[in-house]
Amino acid sequence: MRFKYFFIQIPFFFCLFLNAQTVDKEVLLEVGGDPVYVSEFMNVYNKNLDLVQDESQKDVDAYLELFTNYKLKLKEAKTLGLDKKPSYNRELLTYRKQLAKNFMTDNTVTEALVEEAYHRISNDVKAQHILVLLSEDAAATDTLAAFNKITKLRETTLIEGFGNVMTQKADGKTIIAEQLGWFNGFKMVYAFENAAFNTAVGETSQPFRTRFGYHIVNVQDKRESRGERTVAHIMVVDKEDDATAENPETRIQDIYKKINQGEDFEALAKQFSDDKSSASKGGGDASVFWRTVKCCKI
């Protein structure tokens, strides 16, 4: 009995399929010899139905007139070659990019990356690393050799200690070893940042590659971020070529007294600081550097 009903249903669904195919191929009108199908008109009409504010445009006959005029204008534009103009192609490319964003953006992934970034700028990692240098376009044989070298170094660190291997194996040419101190998110390339934040304190990561080569990173400690500080300074230097200049320590103490008496720090920096890179900014945005001269700072 079940088979009987099954064979009855097959012709029924086949007829529905053929009917749908017929509707899709039914010609509504022709514009310059090109057919426009009923299915296209119905798709456009139904898609825009909720967006139309004018009730008169919801009428099928009225909408058909608008649709027909649109097709005629489109045909005329193609006949005039407007679709070949550079300005049209640029505008079309802009629309394509705008539409593509909605389909290419994964909101779930974006939210996860935002949460990851917030966590990483809110926390600091203290780490040290060993790098086997390798160019980005290195040959396969060189890449394998570098990977084997960093793998061997990691195995050695587990036996002899990371610090000992840094001291003994780094040559400053092909193998680089560095104490990185504290850092947080967006301070390192992404692959390095991932390894540092995903490795437990006291552990050494598996080998990973960046554009610089193959690394292993040893995480020494983690903590909540202490934030950043913006500082300003006043610096005076020993002007050995000026016999009339005051001793720098005397000068800096005089400036210090002025600050304690309420004088403006920025104004004093602009007037007295010998660090010309920051003096004009009131002592702010000072770059870090070494000088081989006797100097005093506040």
Side-chain angles (χ1 to χ4, degrees):
M1 185 65 80
R2 291 179 181 175
F3 288 104
K4 175 182 177 181
Y5 287 116
F6 176 75
F7 286 112
I8 290 173
Q9 288 174 349
I10 287 178
F12 174 73
F13 287 114
F14 186 67
C15 289
L16 286 178
F17 176 75
L18 288 178
N19 184 58
Q21 291 285 82
T22 302
V23 172
D24 286 343
K25 296 298 182 181
E26 187 175 352
V27 176
L28 175 67
L29 52 92
E30 288 188 1
V31 179
D34 296 329
V36 178
Y37 297 102
V38 173
S39 57
E40 180 185 353
F41 170 74
M42 293 307 299
N43 286 336
V44 174
Y45 175 76
N46 291 324
K47 182 178 70 175
N48 295 325
L49 192 62
D50 295 333
L51 302 176
V52 175
Q53 301 296 323
D54 188 348
E55 289 296 325
S56 65
Q57 293 182 8
K58 293 185 179 182
D59 179 73
V60 174
D61 291 333
Y63 199 88
L64 177 59
E65 184 178 351
L66 291 172
F67 181 77
T68 302
N69 289 334
Y70 161 74
K71 283 292 185 180
L72 288 170
K73 290 179 180 178
L74 193 63
K75 183 67 176 179
E76 182 182 7
K78 287 186 176 180
T79 301
L80 295 173
L82 299 182
D83 58 319
K84 301 295 192 297
K85 293 180 65 176
S87 58
Y88 169 82
N89 289 323
R90 285 195 299 270
E91 188 172 359
L92 182 62
L93 181 60
T94 300
Y95 286 137
R96 283 178 177 172
K97 290 180 178 179
Q98 290 174 348
L99 291 172
K101 287 181 180 179
N102 297 325
F103 297 95
M104 296 176 66
T105 301
D106 189 326
N107 291 332
T108 303
V109 173
T110 301
E111 290 177 6
L113 288 173
V114 170
E115 290 181 7
E116 177 186 85
Y118 178 78
H119 169 74
R120 292 183 181 182
I121 63 175
S122 302
N123 293 273
D124 296 332
V125 175
K126 185 180 182 183
Q128 51 192 350
H129 83 126
I130 298 173
L131 163 67
V132 175
L133 289 171
L134 181 70
S135 63
E136 291 186 86
D137 57 351
T141 52
D142 295 332
T143 301
L144 179 60
F147 177 78
N148 289 336
K149 184 180 290 186
I150 198 70
T151 301
K152 181 64 176 177
L153 287 169
R154 183 181 186 277
E155 293 171 355
T156 306
T157 65
L158 300 179
I159 299 171
E160 301 180 9
F162 203 94
N164 291 331
V165 175
M166 288 178 65
T167 302
Q168 296 168 9
K169 302 296 184 179
D171 57 17
K173 297 178 181 179
T174 60
I175 301 176
I176 308 297
E178 295 177 299
Q179 285 281 355
L180 300 172
W182 293 99
F183 61 90
N184 56 21
F186 301 106
K187 298 297 189 297
M188 304 291 178
V189 293
Y190 189 62
F192 194 99
E193 181 183 295
N194 280 338
F197 276 92
N198 293 329
T199 300
V201 174
E203 299 293 328
T204 298
S205 72
Q206 292 294 329
F208 61 94
R209 187 172 180 175
T210 71
R211 64 175 181 267
F212 306 108
Y214 278 104
H215 308 250
I216 52 174
V217 58
N218 176 256
V219 176
Q220 298 165 294
D221 202 359
K222 294 183 180 182
R223 70 184 184 193
E224 288 188 8
S225 178
R226 298 183 180 181
E228 297 181 353
R229 298 289 185 272
T230 301
V231 300
H233 81 151
I234 296 174
M235 179 179 72
V236 296
V237 299
D238 188 4
K239 300 178 180 179
E240 297 177 353
D241 56 341
D242 187 353
T244 63
E246 280 187 284
N247 179 285
E249 293 184 13
T250 302
R251 291 171 59 207
I252 205 72
Q253 289 298 333
D254 289 340
I255 297 170
Y256 183 64
K257 288 178 183 178
K258 293 178 184 293
I259 294 171
N260 288 334
Q261 291 169 359
E263 294 195 36
D264 184 65
F265 188 98
E266 291 188 11
L268 292 171
K270 291 177 181 179
Q271 184 178 358
F272 296 112
S273 182
D274 291 327
D275 179 7
K276 301 306 179 184
S277 64
S278 66
S280 61
K281 303 171 186 176
D285 297 330
S287 57
V288 177
F289 59 92
W290 292 99
R291 284 181 181 266
T292 57
V293 294
K294 182 179 179 181
C295 65
C296 298
K297 298 182 183 180
I298 54 174

